[in-house]
Amino acid sequence: MESFFFGVALALTVILLIPFYRVYRGPAVGDRLLGASAAGTKTLTLVLLIGVLYDRLDMFVDISMGYAILNFAGVIAMSKYFRTQTTAGR
């Protein structure tokens, strides 16, 4: 069963490259924000999966909840920043 979770973690790590590509090459700011949010969500899932692998899910749930709050606040802060940047340029 451990090899299954390791394989899923490896697949998630590879899949994590897709949102990073969108952050790097996104044609618009909104695409980059969505890519950053998706990368944060996949990282959150990866942290929980590592908790299952180490058999310490209770500790990793706390870490992932803190990371989820930081991810949410970061995306909201970036969207507000870019919103003021685009409206100031008009």
Side-chain angles (χ1 to χ4, degrees):
M1 191 66 153
E2 188 174 308
S3 62
F4 171 74
F5 283 123
F6 184 73
V8 171
L10 190 61
L12 269 174
T13 305
V14 171
I15 291 172
L16 191 61
L17 295 175
I18 297 168
F20 279 137
Y21 176 76
R22 182 53 52 199
V23 170
Y24 180 69
R25 298 281 298 185
V29 174
D31 293 329
R32 291 182 174 163
L33 287 174
L34 285 174
S37 178
T41 303
K42 287 181 185 16
T43 305
L44 177 78
T45 307
L46 192 60
V47 167
L48 287 173
L49 203 57
I50 290 170
V52 170
L53 283 173
Y54 283 121
D55 200 27
R56 292 293 311 258
L57 189 59
D58 53 342
M59 181 178 73
F60 281 90
V61 165
D62 294 338
I63 294 170
S64 65
M65 291 301 290
Y67 185 77
I69 292 169
L70 287 174
N71 183 34
F72 176 72
V75 169
I76 294 296
M78 285 189 296
S79 66
K80 285 190 179 263
Y81 173 76
F82 286 124
R83 182 176 178 199
T84 58
Q85 291 294 324
T86 57
T87 57
R90 288 183 185 185

